[in-house]
Amino acid sequence: GNHDITTPEVRNLFTQKTGRNPYYSFDFQNSHFIILDNTQASYADKMDPEQMKWLEKDLKGLKNKAGIYVFMHRPFWPFGVGAGRPDKFHDLFKRYKVTAVFTGHWHNYASEVYDGIRYVVMGSSGAELRGGTEVNVSLANFYQYLWVTVRDGNFLPALMRAGNSFDI
């Protein structure tokens, strides 16, 4: 989250302790997972250009994956594609057929699909709940987690609260 890597010094410590960059990718079975570091970028335009080049190279190198899943802390999509504005991330995700993008930061749940890509802002699983945001999306204001199943190439998410599930 945005409280994990707060300064360049902490970023160096993260790299030293984990043995990896704050952004990386890996494969599991026939799916590809991308972890981005947008802890210091309030908006998409503020993303590190080196990381953006790495992201495109990583996506470009993928062949025949059943799913491509991107994770980052801050949600950029509500201010870009979600608001009908140009969105360099969405353009890249659409070009390389990303399945879903998971974010957090707001402490409320929101989910939309644009051009076949599921965008999710995960709500709180224990931190304070917040009443709203500056963008117009539906929010689930309760403690939650997302249970995602990938079966036969199909992405099946279920929002969970205290043993209950909700279609999304």
Side-chain angles (χ1 to χ4, degrees):
N2 62 315
H3 306 290
D4 297 339
I5 299 175
T6 54
T7 66
E9 293 80 20
V10 174
R11 178 173 277 114
N12 290 338
L13 184 61
F14 175 91
T15 302
Q16 181 183 45
K17 295 290 185 183
T18 64
R20 70 172 75 209
N21 285 325
Y23 56 93
Y24 57 95
S25 65
F26 62 93
D27 292 325
F28 179 75
Q29 296 177 353
N30 197 28
S31 293
H32 188 72
F33 297 84
I34 298 170
I35 313 304
L36 297 177
D37 173 24
N38 68 351
T39 56
Q40 301 299 297
S42 298
Y43 298 98
D45 293 347
K46 301 294 183 188
M47 280 294 284
D48 171 27
E50 182 180 317
Q51 186 174 176
M52 292 302 295
K53 287 178 192 171
W54 172 88
L55 173 61
E56 184 159 16
K57 182 179 179 184
D58 188 65
L59 287 167
K60 194 180 288 189
L62 298 176
K63 302 284 187 248
N64 303 319
K65 293 294 180 190
I68 302 171
Y69 305 96
V70 177
F71 297 81
M72 63 182 123
H73 184 73
R74 294 177 190 266
F76 294 150
W77 63 268
F79 308 102
V81 67
R85 296 186 182 119
D87 188 325
K88 66 182 180 180
F89 276 97
H90 179 70
D91 293 343
L92 198 59
F93 297 156
K94 188 167 73 170
R95 184 176 331 132
Y96 294 105
K97 298 178 176 43
V98 165
T99 307
V101 178
F102 298 94
T103 61
H105 193 63
W106 287 353
H107 298 214
N108 295 97
Y109 174 84
S111 180
E112 300 288 338
V113 176
Y114 298 99
D115 298 315
I117 302 168
R118 167 75 64 181
Y119 286 90
V120 177
V121 178
M122 281 309 306
S124 181
S125 60
E128 72 177 287
L129 296 170
R130 296 185 181 155
T133 67
E134 64 268 24
V135 296
N136 184 21
V137 293
S138 298
L139 301 171
N141 195 24
F142 52 82
Y143 293 122
Q144 62 202 247
Y145 62 95
L146 192 66
W147 185 274
V148 177
T149 304
V150 177
R151 186 178 307 127
D152 300 325
N154 294 314
F155 169 72
L156 308 164
L159 183 61
M160 307 298 286
R161 174 178 73 180
N164 297 306
S165 65
F166 301 85
D167 293 333
I168 56 174

